[in-house]
Amino acid sequence: MQNKELERDFALAGVCQAAALVQMTARKGESPAPYFEASINSIVLTDTDSTEAVFGGIAQLGLGFKTIIAQLGNTSLDKDAEITRYVAGILSLERKISRKGEVLKELSERISQIQRQQTHMDLFERQMISNLASVYADVISPAGPKIQVAGTPAVLQQDSNQNKVRALLLAGVRAAVLWRQLGGKRRQILFSRKKIVKHAQQFQQQLN
């Protein structure tokens, strides 16, 4: 994937996928494993040679493409205000931390720590998801407006689900960082909506 616009929209799909997974996890306590794993894994893949490699390939972002098409497409029935709020919140948080050098430094140090822990623990073990959640709670969340997550009270009362939600929000911020590095700006989502949807549809066709 050489086209910078395509790469940027691929990263935006990463943001949208994280938002959709947050909603699923908060409501049901579970989400499709391949998408969850791709989003979580993207947090620690900080030295890759392409946007596609960050997420492990096009197939791993299928939910992200589907979410873009639903949220930005022409069918109002498919739009979900909650997912829109999560995406906006993630992009706002990323914008806040991008202006705070000390926060970015601490974030980088904490991610490096997680990468070192991977030598003796699987990234998807409960403890590691808890560690990722702590990075979000300690470093990202205090840096900007809090994202209020709605869901099923019985589901959100469980620590494991709270940790998954926070880890997914961290994954969303990671994708937003990548999106901005590729020239992403919020106004593009508004003014280049049709083109972004077209790219998402192209990616989806490759999956089919």
Side-chain angles (χ1 to χ4, degrees), residues 44-168:
V44 294
L45 290 174
T46 53
D47 189 23
T48 58
D49 56 4
S50 73
T51 313
E52 196 174 328
V54 171
F55 299 99
I58 287 175
Q60 276 63 44
L61 269 188
L63 179 61
F65 306 138
K66 184 181 173 185
T67 305
I68 282 180
I69 294 162
Q71 294 298 106
L72 298 182
N74 292 324
T75 311
S76 59
L77 291 174
D78 293 335
K79 290 177 176 46
D80 188 316
E82 193 174 274
I83 288 179
T84 300
R85 185 165 59 79
Y86 293 154
V87 170
I90 288 166
L91 295 180
S92 276
L93 266 179
E94 186 280 328
R95 196 172 178 189
K96 293 279 186 195
I97 66 167
S98 70
R99 297 168 176 172
K100 298 180 178 180
E102 72 283 1
V103 174
L104 288 173
K105 185 175 178 229
E106 188 181 355
L107 180 60
S108 176
E109 286 168 359
R110 292 286 292 269
I111 297 297
S112 296
Q113 194 179 349
I114 300 276
Q115 289 166 329
R116 289 193 294 275
Q117 289 167 348
Q118 278 185 276
T119 58
H120 52 87
M121 264 195 285
D122 186 87
L123 187 63
F124 303 102
E125 283 183 40
R126 185 172 284 216
Q127 182 57 54
M128 288 291 269
I129 297 295
S130 174
N131 294 349
L132 288 169
S134 295
V135 176
Y136 179 81
D138 299 344
V139 183
I140 304 287
S141 189
K146 287 202 168 27
I147 297 174
Q148 299 295 331
V149 174
T152 307
V155 170
L156 285 173
Q157 280 164 9
Q158 297 176 39
D159 288 345
S160 61
N161 290 327
Q162 289 177 24
N163 288 336
K164 283 178 188 173
V165 164
R166 290 187 181 115
L168 286 166

Side-chain angles (χ1 to χ4, degrees), residues 185-198:
K185 292 180 174 60
R186 289 180 70 155
R187 66 174 179 269
Q188 288 164 352
I189 299 174
L190 187 63
F191 296 119
S192 304
R193 184 174 58 83
K194 286 183 181 175
K195 193 180 277 190
I196 293 168
V197 169
K198 184 183 171 188

